[in-house]
Amino acid sequence: MDYEVICVETSDLLREAFAVRLEVFVKEQGVPEEEELDVYDAEAVHFIAKERGSNKVIGTARLIQKSPEIGKIGRVAVLPDHRGRGVGTQIMQVIESFAHERNLRYLELDAQLQAIPFYERLGYTASGDIFLDAGIQHRKMTKTLHRAEKETSTT
């Protein structure tokens, strides 16, 4: 692995995460910038994938806690030159571990239709009708995070 995934803790890294999103969603996919950056960014926990050595940010995603048990993953983006190398998978795994540590039980996301097979390989299940978000077809996907059973003692 020539990259690492970390939780964003500085405004500089957050700006770099936004730059990846603008490159992927606004420039590549034509999403209006005012729709891409939204009010949820302030409350979300952001994650980035950085190249080792150069520290260049090559991927990002965010997690919003919707309730004590439900988190919503969004804005998953990897720069074109780094796709197909496991970067997105690693970002998702780090988010899932983070969510599990915070006792979230369910994760949901809105997947672009072309990305559904990627999320299915990670254990997410599509449900509901196709809907448009920023003019792009999506479906809702969910995953249950398994909790370790607590040991009980018998006396």
Side-chain angles (χ1 to χ4, degrees):
M1 175 171 45
D2 56 348
Y3 57 88
E4 65 178 330
V5 177
I6 62 170
C7 185
V8 171
E9 295 182 355
T10 69
S11 58
D12 287 343
L13 288 178
L14 185 58
R15 277 192 295 278
E16 291 187 56
F18 290 165
V20 169
R21 286 171 43 186
L22 292 173
E23 179 69 30
V24 171
F25 296 120
V26 176
K27 290 183 183 171
E28 183 181 332
Q29 297 182 353
V31 173
E33 185 172 344
E34 60 274 9
E35 288 184 42
E36 175 46 34
L37 301 175
D38 63 22
V39 296
Y40 297 109
D41 283 319
E43 69 183 71
V45 178
H46 297 267
F47 298 83
I48 56 165
K50 296 189 322 177
E51 270 186 326
R52 293 192 195 276
S54 73
N55 280 330
K56 177 184 177 187
V57 175
I58 59 173
T60 188
R62 71 180 185 188
L63 176 67
I64 300 166
Q65 188 163 341
K66 292 180 64 175
S67 76
E69 289 194 327
I70 301 171
K72 183 172 184 178
I73 298 171
R75 304 309 202 260
V76 180
V78 176
L79 293 176
D81 291 347
H82 298 277
R83 294 180 191 152
R85 299 182 188 175
V87 177
T89 298
Q90 186 67 28
I91 291 170
M92 293 296 292
Q93 289 170 342
V94 168
I95 291 173
E96 289 177 13
S97 293
F98 180 92
H100 187 267
E101 289 170 8
R102 278 141 190 86
N103 295 314
L104 295 179
R105 185 158 184 191
Y106 307 99
L107 290 174
E108 59 184 41
L109 55 87
D110 297 334
Q112 293 182 9
L113 294 190
Q114 50 84 17
I116 288 175
F118 166 76
Y119 293 114
E120 286 177 334
R121 286 191 298 274
L122 298 173
Y124 290 80
T125 303
S127 62
D129 293 331
I130 294 171
F131 62 93
L132 289 179
D133 184 1
I136 300 170
Q137 292 184 321
H138 288 71
R139 282 189 75 199
K140 181 176 181 173
M141 299 191 81
T142 56
K143 180 176 183 175
T144 300
L145 298 178
H146 298 285
R147 295 185 187 185
E149 294 296 320
K150 291 185 180 179
E151 292 183 30
T152 57
S153 60
T154 56
T155 53

